[in-house]
Amino acid sequence: MANVTQTIHSLNAGISQQPDEQKIPGQVRDMNNAIPDITQGLLKRPAGKFVNTLVGSTNTGKWFHYYRDENEQYVGQIQQNGTVKMWDCLTGNPKTVVNAIGNNTYLTHTNDEDIQTLTLNDFTYINNRSITTEMDTTIEPEGDFTKEVFVELKSISYAKQYALNVFDNTTTQSVHTATRIKVTMVNSSNNYCDSGFHMRTHATRGNSGNARCGTQAGDGRDAFAPNVATRIFSVDSNKTLTDSGATGGTLANGNHSDTNYSYQVNVNNNSSQGRKNLYFRIATTGQSVPYTEGSGSSQTTTYQARYTTTYDLLHGGEGWLEGDFFYVFMADAYYKVEIEESSESIVQANLALVRPQPTPFDTETTITAESILGDIREGLTGNNTNSGNGFTITQIGTGLHIKRTGVFNASTPVGELLNVVAGKV
């Protein structure tokens, strides 16, 4: 075979066990006491330096190292009796190792290869491959963790309900949610004034009116379109609402004392129970248009309000059934709200059906992890404490550790918001 002559610019490609004809230029078969460096080229291996004798080390045991920065470098040994020793690489002095467990059972070994270490950031994880892991029966007598769950808060979102189902048997229950509503303006300045064109009181304004509000109604006259407003409503069974958006038009007696009116919402007009957390928005716009009556010299022109009402269902709540209806006020106008459609879901929640109020639907109110977790805790314990209804709750970071004397489980219909770790992970 003819000789081959070639020029190799550097030997910094490292060691390769491939046949010579497959090596790339710069690779070598072996390298003794040298270090290939892409910047400096082929360098002589730096000499070692005796620092100190590692006092307390043994001939057997698993060695590992931990490099944090230029000033903190350590070497450690897991001895076969399970004792962990650490030394400072810069001085060779031993470091204090605190055993928070109180025993060395898990790290005791006879074959050093059974001990594996992995350092990530500032933590070194130690694994003994010769020991099969299992639950600590001294903590849980049944050998598992079926008496506790952990609920993790995954995200904070507006206009969301953080729901949780807690159960200890297969009994199911129905949860009805409104999916479609209809809102109708029943009475407005078009028709709720009395025969003298004065604005009625709130107590009688929901009744059928007999006159359009005239100048005698003051600021509540129909020509001013006083029922223009927008409001988000939250309605439960027998909930008391305040019409704080009232215009305060002049009443028959000339007073303005009826500007804030409190009233009770009666579902189906007979106080049906179990309905809650229905959120919807009503928006009413108005325009004054001219209206001409008579002819000739007796012809007169007045202005009348023309209203347009829109509405949005923001959250369907719980317990609402098709056919439910109730009445609400907004800026003196009287509205009928009907549930046109509802859906039914079947859930296991014999211990607790946690359905807190949804988070705000606008950015005017700030929401926090603490407020969300507090609402869930209150839904479990029935109060704002850490125990109640058989539950003991501890907040850990952005999650709740829930314990109970008996076996139980939990689930959530909003997996994008909450993560429930039950039993084991």
Side-chain angles (χ1 to χ4, degrees):
M1 181 175 178
N3 292 332
V4 176
T5 302
Q6 67 182 111
T7 301
I8 299 176
H9 297 286
S10 65
L11 296 174
N12 58 11
I15 298 174
S16 174
Q17 301 299 324
Q18 298 182 101
D20 290 344
E21 61 271 17
Q22 295 183 12
K23 289 186 177 71
I24 64 175
Q27 286 185 326
V28 297
R29 185 180 305 161
D30 201 1
M31 184 177 294
N32 295 324
N33 295 324
I35 296 178
D37 186 274
I38 194 170
T39 303
Q40 303 295 332
L42 190 63
L43 302 175
K44 183 178 180 181
R45 179 178 61 83
K49 176 184 177 182
F50 176 77
V51 176
N52 204 345
T53 301
L54 300 183
V55 179
S57 63
T58 60
N59 294 330
T60 58
K62 175 69 175 182
W63 290 92
F64 65 97
H65 63 86
Y66 168 51
Y67 180 95
R68 183 174 185 182
D69 53 41
E70 291 294 330
N71 299 318
E72 287 195 66
Q73 304 165 34
Y74 306 95
V75 62
Q77 184 187 41
I78 305 170
Q79 299 177 356
Q80 292 190 347
N81 64 0
T83 303
V84 179
K85 300 284 187 178
M86 298 292 293
W87 295 269
D88 190 328
C89 290
L90 299 180
T91 64
N93 296 328
K95 309 298 292 185
T96 301
V97 178
V98 178
N99 185 345
I101 299 177
N103 63 71
N104 303 325
T105 304
Y106 181 73
L107 297 181
T108 302
H109 62 281
T110 56
N111 183 6
D112 292 340
E113 293 302 318
D114 288 337
I115 301 297
Q116 302 292 312
T117 62
L118 174 65
T119 299
L120 297 174
N121 297 325
D122 288 341
F123 296 90
T124 298
Y125 301 91
I126 304 174
N127 177 46
N128 188 345
R129 297 191 297 183
S130 65
I131 295 182
T132 301
T133 58
E134 59 184 4
M135 295 297 182
D136 187 351
T137 57
T138 62
I139 299 176
E140 293 292 335
E142 298 182 4
D144 58 24
F145 289 86
T146 56
K147 296 181 180 179
E148 56 187 287
V149 300
F150 186 78
V151 179
E152 174 196 6
L153 179 61
K154 295 173 63 176
S155 64
I156 298 176
S157 301
Y158 284 87
K160 298 292 184 180
Q161 185 183 60
Y162 289 76
L164 188 68
N165 306 322
V166 186
F167 54 93
D168 63 356
N169 58 40
T170 58
T171 303
T172 60
Q173 58 180 293
S174 298
V175 178
H176 293 87
T177 302
T179 57
R180 183 183 181 88
I181 65 172
K182 178 183 178 181
V183 178
T184 306
M185 178 186 281
V186 178
N187 291 105
S188 68
S189 60
N190 291 165
N191 61 358
Y192 62 39
C193 275
D194 59 24
S195 58
F197 307 108
H198 294 90
M199 184 184 293
R200 293 175 181 267
T201 65
H202 270 90
T204 59
R205 203 166 299 159
N207 300 331
S208 297
N210 55 12
R212 188 180 298 272
C213 295
T215 56
Q216 296 87 337
D219 292 342
R221 72 187 70 176
D222 188 51
F224 285 3
N227 300 135
V228 173
T230 300
R231 181 178 175 184
I232 294 177
F233 289 84
S234 170
V235 175
D236 300 341
S237 299
N238 300 330
K239 185 172 184 178
T240 299
L241 295 181
T242 300
D243 178 25
S244 57
T247 59
T250 304
L251 303 181
N253 58 5
N255 293 327
H256 293 263
S257 58
D258 204 14
T259 56
N260 292 322
Y261 174 68
S262 296
Y263 60 99
Q264 189 177 56
V265 176
N266 295 321
V267 180
N268 290 355
N269 224 22
N270 61 0
S271 305
S272 295
Q273 301 296 318
R275 279 71 163 164
K276 64 177 184 177
N277 289 334
L278 182 68
Y279 283 75
F280 55 92
R281 179 191 291 111
I282 299 179
T284 295
T285 59
Q287 181 181 10
S288 293
V289 296
Y291 175 72
T292 303
E293 290 182 306
S295 61
S297 60
S298 62
Q299 186 178 30
T300 60
T301 301
T302 60
Y303 282 86
Q304 300 179 354
R306 179 181 296 166
Y307 294 107
T308 302
T309 298
T310 59
Y311 50 90
D312 301 288
L313 177 60
L314 303 178
H315 182 71
E318 300 85 50
W320 296 94
L321 301 175
E322 183 177 335
D324 286 346
F325 66 91
F326 53 88
Y327 295 89
V328 295
F329 280 101
M330 183 178 73
D332 290 331
Y334 195 58
Y335 298 84
K336 182 180 181 180
V337 182
E338 302 174 81
I339 308 299
E340 290 195 324
E341 296 179 10
S342 68
S343 65
E344 179 184 11
S345 60
I346 307 298
V347 300
Q348 293 176 248
N350 65 299
L351 293 180
L353 179 68
V354 181
R355 294 295 186 271
Q357 288 187 350
T359 51
F361 293 88
D362 53 55
T363 57
E364 295 179 359
T365 304
T366 301
I367 56 175
T368 63
E370 286 74 13
S371 64
I372 295 172
L373 295 177
D375 288 342
I376 296 175
R377 180 174 59 244
E378 186 172 355
L380 289 169
T381 63
N383 49 56
N384 200 25
T385 62
N386 294 325
S387 62
N389 293 335
F391 296 102
T392 301
I393 302 176
T394 303
Q395 181 172 336
I396 303 175
T398 56
L400 295 177
H401 182 216
I402 306 169
K403 299 188 69 174
R404 191 171 178 267
T405 55
V407 175
F408 74 104
N409 208 330
S411 64
T412 177
V414 284
E416 73 279 8
L417 304 176
L418 297 174
N419 179 38
V420 180
V421 179
K424 54 188 175 182
V425 60

